[in-house]
Amino acid sequence: MLSAINRIEKKSEGIGGMEKRHVLFLFAAAIMLCLCGCTVKTKDGNEKIKDIDFTVLGEDNIPEELKEIVEQKKEKEFKMTYQDGDFLYICVGYGRQDTGGYSITVNDLYLTGNSIYVDTNLIGPEPENRELYGTQEKDGTSYPYVVLKIEYMDKSVVFD
């Protein structure tokens, strides 16, 4: 009788061991599926590799030659890049605005296999502040733009 109980216990241990291995296999498979599904694709199907660190430059920190180019282009919307030594400058301008108080957000700046993607957005003054900035007065005219400084990469820049 005792040997029959031992055989039953060994069989149940064997079954339990198989179940544990099976559960571990399923768990590993689930993790692999999650990792494979976590890549981010861009609109044109490229895979996002990493976010890019950047610095938003104030007017005093923009290279003089770039400052002159921006000054010539600021009246209309523009998107451009400029290289100076080890740095790449990404510039986005939103043209002439009739009031001040605008800001620009950088929604995304990231690297894919063959490109740098940048996405910015112009945010207008809050409705309650519009009176403070004037309405179509010469003094209220502004030319919002942003200059982003990154390490130079030999990649094309795609503006979104």
Side-chain angles (χ1 to χ4, degrees):
M1 175 84 163
L2 192 57
S3 65
I5 292 173
N6 284 341
R7 276 184 269 164
I8 292 172
E9 285 179 0
K10 286 183 181 179
K11 283 185 181 180
S12 64
E13 284 176 11
I15 292 171
M18 282 294 282
E19 288 175 358
K20 287 178 187 174
R21 278 186 258 148
H22 187 55
V23 169
L24 286 175
F25 175 78
L26 289 175
F27 182 73
I31 289 175
M32 294 299 287
L33 284 173
C34 287
L35 291 176
C36 292
C38 289
T39 60
V40 176
K41 298 281 186 177
T42 62
K43 289 178 184 174
D44 62 0
N46 288 320
E47 187 174 315
K48 178 179 177 179
I49 296 174
K50 69 174 186 167
D51 289 323
I52 298 174
D53 292 331
F54 63 92
T55 303
V56 177
L57 296 183
E59 196 169 328
D60 295 342
N61 296 321
I62 300 171
E64 284 302 317
E65 186 178 353
L66 177 56
K67 209 183 290 189
E68 291 172 15
I69 295 169
V70 168
E71 187 64 30
Q72 294 170 3
K73 292 181 173 284
K74 74 178 185 179
E75 191 72 33
K76 297 183 179 179
E77 288 188 28
F78 66 89
K79 297 174 180 178
M80 60 174 266
T81 60
Y82 176 84
Q83 184 200 348
D84 183 21
D86 293 337
F87 298 101
L88 180 66
Y89 299 86
I90 300 171
C91 310
V92 180
Y94 287 89
R96 183 176 192 262
Q97 305 296 320
D98 293 329
T99 64
Y102 288 88
S103 61
I104 299 171
T105 59
V106 179
N107 300 325
D108 242 339
L109 181 59
Y110 59 89
L111 181 66
T112 67
N114 56 1
S115 301
I116 297 169
Y117 280 76
V118 62
D119 179 24
T120 62
N121 190 36
L122 179 66
I123 299 174
E126 296 295 321
E128 63 270 7
N129 294 335
R130 288 184 198 265
E131 292 175 19
L132 297 174
Y133 295 111
T135 54
Q136 298 190 18
E137 296 176 14
K138 188 165 178 89
D139 295 333
T141 301
S142 65
Y143 305 90
Y145 67 89
V146 66
V147 177
L148 309 175
K149 179 181 177 182
I150 65 171
E151 288 184 31
Y152 176 76
M153 294 179 223
D154 190 20
K155 306 274 185 191
S156 61
V157 176
V158 177
F159 295 91
D160 205 3

